[in-house]
């Protein structure tokens, strides 16, 4: 380091401070290592002890590092001369708070965790400037990258005392820079560079002597159409000694450490290892069935200790002799006596005077309007408006004059004005809620100006748009030229103020509904009188108003009280403030105004721009009313403004903050002070105390303090109490924060037309601690939270609608915004636009912060800012953030005056329409109320427990059986059918021309057929070729490589005739050889095949150049093409000596990516065919249609074996033909009047996607499916209920019976366990409780119950099959209320795994297992699937009650999380429902983290919307926290030929960083 020879402790203090600041910058990642060293050297240079001849040289950094946060801040303050795009949101400016936040962050620096930065694909950098990034191949970038790779190969070293070793955060920051430079190792591919292949990646993925697994992602990703069977990391079941599932897991975990994913996940795990704060004791207790919320109160919670509060009385409202009896009377008086006196001056957009309206003009125009409204709107005899009707006022903020005339015109006509904002488009924030307001007020007429009407959005025909949710409105233009002068004798009726509504003010509540607060005539008048008394208004004063004149303070002071006192109002519209922030100060100066009405933002903007003005004087002001002075963060704006403008004559005592709400109107206002009197005090409160609702002066931690200023005293004539904000309105204690409630004649009277809500707000009677009402008089809730301080001063600390109740503590949204803004947002946040709200997820509110990101903010800056906000809020407020999102600038919904529309933002967030460009979820820190992880009980179960009754919690042992596989009537047939070869031979002799197979093409045309004799002869030819050409010996394995068709069937029987063992393999996909050929190669190698039978086309493919790229083509076994073979017959047809000999090998890739081959004996083949024949009633005169892949399992049996055994005709439809003609299968069913058909889930999906909108077209073509009696889906998984339901529903219109669709179930150990036959009861559906299922228990619930999961029976158990449900650990039988492994006993069980080395242990375990007690004699095969048996109410043909088998999922696939068992498909179903853009999803675990991979079918800007929605839904429905969310392109999740997801393969690709994800979010 550069400080050799320097004693740091001896340096001057300012140098030591600068060094400390540098260290902070380095640790926060604000500066690179090089920049750090350079600056440090520069600082220490004067203090070096130079050794002669040695100079320190430092390479210059290629970009100047940014100055430190605090110095940057000072620099900016001195440099800024005008408002730039990055100004902070003025409401929350507070230097004290900024310092507090910086201190808290510095404190965090010691234990700072390196947070893993999300990974983004280049194309999704919506707005970060790409030019500014260093391209991956430039020297600096690649150097950075290699360093990142080098360092990521080691796990974070512990930070050591030695300063030469970098701390973990410095290397994480370095690797973060590196990773964003090449946004992901794989995404560099899209730029055409070679993919960096770390050397050790191959070493890890290679197992034994195997070739590396086929790389699915390097080539073109396989389209969903070409299903790929991918064995994961080439693990073959039973292939080499001891190579079991566990070794594969090690491989997956032993991912090359240089892959960036595993580094990131390691980082994530490091952040999760250390809890951010001690875990709360508020756990749910998990009483095994219900999750019960039992928050334990924390003994250290501060409790209120004061006495009960006494209501506070305002001064009496004085009576002044000349006060008018109604507000209209005041206008009439001034109009008549002071007609020339100015009432209103309006400014144009540049801040110049546009017009001045005198009291005379105001009066005459209002009278004209009143006359027009009452007499001239309808035809002669009908009056459209009657007194008491409601009318909308729609005027822009730039036109106060028209608004004044309309408002007073309505008052004079005694109709009730409802001022609303001008609608700009259909998509305005909250527009439909305004419709609700108009509807609830019964508004049918809208007044507006001509200019405004022209600007409203119109339909193409020129009519005004019908806005969403709005009632039909008639529009009336109120410009003078359209008004009629009243006749001489007409005078407006001005009664004395009474309790009828005068006007309705709109108010948007927290849940975004807009309601109308009705203000009565007497309340309006009394409020004006009270304001006049409190503010000491005098006749003829001048007032500058910057607020919105349609509502709130702008209306009360600037329109109503102003007219009562003949005040001259100067209205400064919002648009002027944007262009010239100083305009209001200039107006005060020019007009010598006595009163100004502003918000904090106006103070802040004026302060920012004040340098341009030297000679403004604010000495004339006697009152500067701060409308949002009740916001605790207003203090600093007021102070700063005073600081700047005191030299311009501003007196400290004129600043008057006030507190208001639409319901209670003005609650309190500070009276204008008298020169020399002491200024009111401030309260410095502890945020911790506030969060518990008590007032504590902050002493210990100055970082988490809140400084509040008073808002003066209660209004004249009012009575005020503080009550608890939730529950009954109980009076608070003196040191408790509560809601302010007011009793006064000058407040709102009701929510118009909403009596239910009105009662709770406008008619509150406070009660004491015993629940006894303290009086009769009703109070109004103000929605403000606060307390009464010394001297009866009122303090407000927040609003009810900004309140976030998290884990029983209250936090104020404004406070959180202030903290976020104090984390220097200048590089990141656009104009300080930050929204804070809470969403309810998993029984508690979670805090969400959304901010707009500056267009020029870099990825690193944003991430840095987000992680610092997390830390600051954690330190200062002791609350964890759930989600922090940055959206592009100007995209959040705006309120009419440009603020953020919070409720719409929240709705966008929940609907997934926010489109963030950066997101950080932290569920691990803030979700503290998860149920405790389950501790598994040790299982000690033995025969004794059966007697004692521990074992069977259900009523009976869970087992079931199909009917007996009895003798078939004709004994001859049975004998003939011992071997399929004999059956075919016999059929060729007895019924030679009977057609067994018909193969169709995409057009539905028969391509080829095979009668019994044709098939027999073709098989003979192939057998002869095998023995002659191939000189194959009996018992050798032969691979069949054919597309689906009759050639495959003939080759199969040819092998049997020659005495070989056929191994059926799916041919490689010609467009995707790189991914599909290695699997073919592997099966050929594993099965030690002596020969390959195939077609000429495929033979060419196997020997092509393309094939040579992915496998060694020189070592193929002999290849025989069977397209044109000579007419030869084998010397004899082979007959096996015993039926236990192997008939064929069935290879398949399981969902866990395991390649498994099982041996099927001749005896099993005939037993299986017989069982299927009985179940489906198959015989020679029957026709069935098969649309399945014929390569393994029951699909192969139905395609190749069943017809030869039973003699029925099979119509074969290759599934790939449906891709070019989706209606092929269904039209075939209709054309041939098929009663029984078999298909796969992928075929069903193709039909739904391809024909979803074309059922009418099918009808028109005459497709009719009423003939279909059973349509069976062949699968090895839990029935996909949603898919089969939507299929039945969709094709019901073309006659498909709802009872027709059912499923089958098979596994590796037994290819067909269940198959819905033609007879017997319909498959039943049950609803089980998911919470119990996670405990391996079963509780049936009603349909629609919360947390219920529908499961469909997997078909009827086949004849000859017995199943039992067994505990996989103890191997003891279970009761029927338990979930356990399905074990099967049947004559058609497979004989074992096909092994090379005779590895017997695996085989014995899976194929010949005995129960540990109960019935220790029977041999069972373990299916590896979890399920249960339920006795249903349905009856079998025999009259017994039917036992149904339900398959829940594969045991290998289940996820053990928090001691509970989860099935991936349940989590995936929830995830797929979370957002319309999620096409498909898959989940897996990695070191106890749940990883969710979702395919995005929408646009890439939706990608980040999915992250919170996925996290929410999994937390809500499964009580799990998602660790990593990966968003990928459609088709990335690998799927095997049966349409099942291969999650383990996906997991390996993810960990090896081969997915090229759109976005990876690491949830903290």
């Amino acid at each position: 380091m550069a400080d050799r020879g320097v004693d740091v402790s001896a340096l001057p203090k300012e140098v030591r401070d600068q060094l400390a600041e540098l260290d902070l910058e380095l640790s926060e990642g604000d500066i690179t290592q090089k920049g750090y060293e350079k600056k440090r050297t520069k600082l220490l240079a004067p203090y070096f002890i130079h050794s002669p001849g040695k100079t320190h040289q430092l390479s210059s950094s290629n970009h100047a590092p940014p100055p430190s946060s605090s110095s940057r801040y000072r620099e900016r303050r001195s440099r800024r001369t005008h408002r730039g795009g990055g100004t902070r949101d003025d409401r929350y400016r507070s230097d004290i708070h900024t310092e507090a936040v910086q201190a808290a962050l510095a404190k965090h620096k010691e234990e700072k965790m390196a947070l893993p930065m999300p990974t983004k694909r280049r194309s999704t950098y919506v707005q970060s400037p790409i030019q500014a990034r260093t391209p991956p191949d430039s020297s600096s970038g690649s150097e950075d990258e290699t360093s990142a790779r080098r360092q990521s190969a080691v796990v974070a070293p512990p930070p050591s005392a030695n300063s030469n070793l970098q701390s973990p955060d410095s290397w994480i920051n370095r690797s973060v820079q590196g990773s964003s430079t090449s946004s992901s190792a794989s995404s560099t591919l899209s730029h055409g560079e070679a993919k960096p292949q770390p050397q050790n990646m191959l070493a890890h993925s290679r197992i034994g002597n195997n070739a590396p697994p086929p790389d699915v992602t390097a080539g073109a990703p396989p389209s969903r159409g070409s299903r790929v069977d991918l064995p994961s990391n080439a693990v073959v079941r039973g292939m080499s000694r001891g190579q079991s599932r566990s070794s594969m897991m090690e491989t997956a975990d032993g991912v090359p450490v240089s892959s960036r994913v595993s580094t990131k996940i390691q980082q994530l795990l490091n952040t999760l290892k250390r809890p951010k704060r001690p875990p709360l004791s508020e756990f749910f207790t998990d009483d095994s069935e219900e999750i019960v919320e039992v928050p334990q109160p924390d003994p250290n919670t501060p409790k209120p200790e004061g006495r009960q509060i006494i209501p506070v009385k305002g001064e009496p409202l004085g009576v002044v002799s000349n006060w008018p009896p109604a507000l209209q009377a005041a206008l009439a008086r001034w109009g008549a006596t002071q007609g020339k006196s100015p009432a209103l001056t309006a400014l144009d957009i540049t801040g110049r005077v546009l017009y001045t309206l005198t009291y005379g003009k105001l009066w005459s125009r209002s009278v004209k309007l009143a006359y027009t409204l009452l007499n001239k709107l309808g035809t002669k005899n009908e009056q459209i408006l009657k007194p008491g009707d409601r009318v909308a006022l729609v005027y822009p903020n730039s036109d106060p004059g028209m608004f004044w005339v309309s408002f007073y015109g309505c008052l004079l006509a005694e109709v009730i004005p409802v001022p609303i904002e001008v609608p700009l488009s259909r998509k305005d924030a909250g527009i439909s809620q305004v419709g609700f307001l108009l509807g609830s007020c019964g508004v049918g007429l809208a007044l507006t100006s001509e200019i405004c009407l022209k600007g409203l959005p119109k339909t193409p025909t020129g009519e005004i748009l019908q806005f969403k949710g709005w009632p039909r409105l008639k529009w009336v233009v109120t410009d003078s030229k359209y008004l009629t002068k009243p006749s001489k004798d007409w005078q407006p009726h001005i009664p004395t103020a009474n309790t009828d509504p005068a006007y309705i003010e709109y108010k948007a509540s927290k849940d975004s509904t807009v309601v109308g607060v009705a203000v009565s005539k007497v309340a309006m008048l009394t409020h004006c009188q009270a304001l006049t008394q409190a503010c000491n208004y005098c006749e003829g004063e001048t007032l500058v108003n910057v607020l919105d004149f349609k509502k709130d303070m702008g209306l009360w002071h600037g329109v109503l009280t102003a007219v009562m006192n003949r005040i001259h109002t100067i209205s400064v519209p919002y648009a002027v403030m944007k262009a010239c922030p100083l305009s209001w100060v200039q107006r005060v100066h020019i007009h010598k105004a006595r009163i100004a009405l502003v918000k904090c933002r106006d103070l802040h903007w004026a302060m920012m721009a004040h340098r341009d003005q030297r000679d403004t004087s604010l000495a004339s002001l006697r009152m500067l009313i701060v409308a949002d002075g009740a916001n605790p963060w207003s203090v600093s704006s007021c102070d700063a403004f005073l600081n700047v403008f005191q030299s311009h004559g501003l007196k400290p005592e004129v600043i008057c903050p006030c507190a208001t709400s639409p319901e209670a109107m003005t609650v309190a206002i500070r009276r204008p002070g008298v020169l020399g009197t002491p200024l009111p005090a401030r309260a410095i409160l502890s945020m911790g105390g506030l969060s518990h609702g008590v007032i504590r002066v902050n002493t210990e931690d100055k970082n988490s303090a809140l400084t509040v200023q008073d808002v003066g005293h209660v209004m004249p004539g009012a009575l005020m109490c503080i009550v608890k904000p939730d529950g009954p309105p109980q009076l608070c204690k003196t040191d408790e924060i509560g809601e302010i409630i007011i009793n006064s004649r000058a407040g709102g009277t009701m929510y118009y037309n909403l009596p239910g809500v009105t009662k709770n707000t406008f008619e509150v009677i406070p009660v004491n601690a015993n629940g006894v009402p303290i009086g009769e008089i009703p109070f109004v809730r103000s929605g403000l939270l606060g307390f009464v301080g010394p001297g009866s001063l009122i303090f407000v600390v927040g609003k009810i609608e900004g309140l976030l109740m998290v884990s029983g503590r209250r936090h104020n949204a404004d406070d959180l915004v202030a903290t976020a803004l104090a984390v220097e947002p200048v590089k990141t946040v656009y104009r300080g636009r930050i929204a804070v709200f809470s969403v309810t997820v998993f029984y508690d509110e979670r805090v969400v912060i959304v901010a707009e990101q500056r267009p020029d903010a870099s990825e690193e800056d944003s991430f840095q800012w987000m992680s610092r906000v997390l830390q600051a809020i954690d330190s200062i407020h002791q609350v964890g953030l759930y989600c922090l999102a940055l959206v592009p600038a100007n995209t959040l919904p705006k309120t009419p005056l440009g603020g953020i529309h919070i409720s719409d933002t929240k709705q966008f967030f929940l609907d997934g329409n926010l489109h963030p460009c950066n997101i950080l979820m932290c569920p691990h820190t803030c979700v503290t109320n998860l149920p405790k992880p389950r501790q598994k009980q040790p299982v000690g179960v033995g025969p004794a427990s059966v007697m004692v009754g521990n074992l069977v919690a259900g009523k009976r042992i869970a087992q079931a059986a199909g009917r007996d596989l009895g003798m078939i009537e004709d004994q001859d047939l049975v004998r003939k059918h011992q071997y399929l070869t004999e059956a075919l031979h016999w059929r060729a002799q007895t019924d030679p021309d009977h057609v067994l197979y018909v193969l169709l093409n995409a057009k539905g045309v028969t391509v080829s057929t095979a009668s019994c004799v044709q098939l027999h002869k073709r098989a003979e030819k192939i057998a002869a070729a095998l023995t002659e050409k191939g000189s194959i010996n009996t018992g050798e394995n032969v691979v069949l490589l054919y597309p689906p068709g009759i050639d495959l069937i003939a080759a199969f029987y040819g092998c049997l005739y020659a005495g070989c063992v056929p191994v059926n393999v799916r041919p490689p996909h010609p467009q995707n050889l790189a991914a599909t050929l290695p699997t073919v190669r592997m099966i050929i190698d594993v099965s030690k095949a002596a020969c390959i039978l195939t077609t000429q086309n495929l033979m060419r493919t196997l020997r092509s150049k393309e094939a040579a790229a992915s496998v060694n083509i020189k070592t193929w076994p002999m290849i025989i093409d069977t397209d044109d073979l000579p007419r030869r017959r084998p010397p004899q047809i082979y007959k096996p000596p015993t039926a236990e000999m192997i008939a064929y090998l069935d290879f398949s890739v399981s969902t866990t990516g395991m390649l498994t081959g099982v041996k099927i004996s001749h005896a099993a083949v005939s037993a299986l065919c017989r069982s299927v024949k009985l179940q489906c009633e198959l015989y020679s005169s029957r026709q069935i249609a098969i649309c399945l892949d014929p390569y393994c399992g029951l699909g192969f049996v139905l395609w190749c074996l069943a017809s030869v055994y039973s003699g029925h005709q099979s119509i074969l439809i290759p599934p790939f033909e449906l891709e070019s003609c989706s209606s092929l299968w269904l039209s075939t069913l209709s054309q041939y009047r098929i009663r029984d058909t078999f298909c796969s889930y992928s075929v069903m999906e193709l039909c739904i996607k391809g024909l979803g909108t074309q059922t009418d077209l099918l009808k028109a073509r005459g497709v009719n499916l009423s003939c279909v009696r059973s349509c069976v889906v062949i699968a090895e998984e839990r029935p996909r209920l949603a898919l089969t339901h939507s299929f039945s529903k969709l094709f019901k219109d073309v006659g498909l019976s709802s009872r027709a669709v059912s499923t089958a179930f098979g596994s590796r150990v037994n290819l067909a366990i269940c198959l819905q036959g033609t007879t017997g009861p319909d498959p039943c559906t049950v609803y089980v409780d998911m919470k119990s299922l996670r405990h391996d228990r079963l509780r049936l619930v009603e349909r629609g119950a919360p947390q219920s999961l529908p499961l469909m029976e997997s078909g009827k158990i086949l004849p000859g099959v017995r199943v039992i449900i067994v505990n996989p650990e103890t191997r003891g039988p279970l009761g029927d209320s338990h979930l356990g492994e399905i074990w099967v006993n049947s004559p058609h069980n497979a004989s074992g795994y096909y092994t090379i080395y005779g590895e017997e242990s695996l085989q014995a375990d899976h194929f010949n297992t005995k129960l540990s007690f109960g019935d220790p004699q029977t041999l069972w095969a373990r299916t590896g699937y979890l399920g249960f048996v339920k006795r249903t109410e349905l009856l079998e043909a025999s009259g017994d009650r039917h036992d149904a088998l339900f398959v829940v999922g594969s045991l290998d696939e289940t996820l053990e999380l928090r001691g509970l068992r989860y099935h991936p498909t349940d989590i995936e179903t929830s995830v797929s429902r979370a957002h319309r853009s999620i096409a498909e999803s898959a989940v897996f675990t990695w070191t106890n983290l749940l990883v969710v991979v979702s395919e995005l079918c929408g646009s890439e800007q939706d990608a980040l919307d999915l992250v919170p929605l996925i996290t929410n839904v999994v937390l809500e429905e499964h009580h799990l926290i998602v660790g990593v969310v990966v968003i990928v392109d459609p088709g990335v999740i690998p799927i095997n030929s049966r349409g099942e997801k291969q999650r383990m393969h996906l997991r390996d690709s993810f960990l090896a960083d081969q997915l090229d994800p759109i976005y990876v979010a690491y949830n903290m």
Side-chain angles (χ1 to χ4, degrees), residues 1125-1187:
L1125 289 174
R1127 271 238 172 100
R1128 291 265 172 73
R1129 293 182 59 187
Q1132 91 274 0
I1133 290 176
Y1134 172 80
K1135 181 179 178 190
T1138 132
E1140 295 311 316
M1141 298 279 288
I1142 297 181
Y1144 71 99
L1145 296 180
D1146 189 300
F1147 270 94
S1148 155
V1149 176
S1150 75
T1151 48
T1152 50
M1154 190 90 65
L1155 175 67
T1156 326
V1158 291
K1159 301 182 286 195
I1160 310 290
S1161 67
H1162 286 279
V1165 166
S1166 39
L1168 177 52
C1169 289
R1170 185 135 131 251
S1171 199
V1172 171
K1173 176 187 167 91
L1174 275 175
Q1175 192 85 327
C1176 301
E1177 298 178 353
L1178 300 172
Y1179 34 83
S1180 303
S1181 57
R1182 295 285 305 283
Q1183 243 186 348
I1184 64 170
I1186 300 173
C1187 189

Side-chain angles (χ1 to χ4, degrees), residues 227-258:
R227 295 291 156 84
V228 188
D229 280 330
L230 296 163
S232 161
N233 277 353
V235 172
V236 181
R237 201 168 250 176
M239 188 191 136
S240 64
R241 213 170 280 279
Q243 189 99 68
S244 67
R245 179 95 179 75
S246 61
S247 67
M248 182 195 130
M249 295 300 284
E250 284 153 26
T251 319
D253 285 354
V255 150
V257 188
S258 59

Side-chain angles (χ1 to χ4, degrees), residues 54-130:
K54 202 186 256 184
T55 54
H56 291 275
Q57 265 196 327
L58 274 165
S59 57
S60 64
S61 166
N62 43 7
H63 46 266
S68 80
S69 43
S70 48
S71 62
R72 217 171 20 207
Y73 180 56
R74 282 196 296 274
E75 248 171 63
R76 216 178 55 253
R77 289 294 301 272
S78 60
R79 251 197 337 246
R80 172 172 291 155
T81 51
H82 58 86
R83 249 171 57 261
T87 59
R88 251 177 26 189
D89 191 341
D90 29 291
R91 297 171 298 172
Y92 307 107
R93 285 284 293 90
S94 158
D95 289 349
I96 302 173
H97 195 59
T98 305
E99 278 164 36
V101 168
Q102 296 303 337
L105 286 174
K107 204 191 292 162
H108 248 280
K109 176 201 160 188
E110 281 90 73
E111 71 260 16
K112 182 173 173 248
M113 285 303 319
L115 304 183
M117 186 166 160
T119 312
K120 236 184 212 183
R121 189 189 288 166
R122 249 310 153 65
S123 58
T124 50
Y125 281 130
V126 185
Q127 39 158 214
S128 46
I130 293 182

Side-chain angles (χ1 to χ4, degrees), residues 34-56:
K34 271 185 189 169
Y36 166 78
E37 283 168 12
K38 185 177 175 187
K39 282 199 142 187
R40 190 180 167 101
T41 314
K42 199 168 165 188
L43 273 175
L44 297 176
Y47 309 99
F48 268 149
I49 305 163
H50 279 289
S51 49
K54 202 186 256 184
T55 54
H56 291 275

Side-chain angles (χ1 to χ4, degrees), residues 1407-1460:
F1407 290 86
N1408 306 312
T1409 307
K1410 295 179 179 173
L1411 292 172
S1412 55
F1413 60 89
D1415 162 19
Q1417 261 45 63
T1418 316
L1419 286 179
W1420 300 89
R1422 303 180 59 167
T1423 60
Y1425 282 84
L1426 293 171
F1428 59 92
V1429 168
K1430 269 285 170 218
R1431 177 153 280 186
T1432 63
E1433 297 303 314
L1434 307 168
L1435 297 181
E1436 294 280 10
S1438 60
D1440 295 336
R1441 278 173 65 195
H1442 163 66
D1443 288 324
L1445 173 67
F1446 294 87
V1447 176
V1448 178
S1450 152
L1451 186 59
D1452 275 350
E1453 293 260 275
T1454 56
L1455 312 172
E1456 287 267 336
L1457 289 161
R1458 303 178 58 79
L1460 302 172

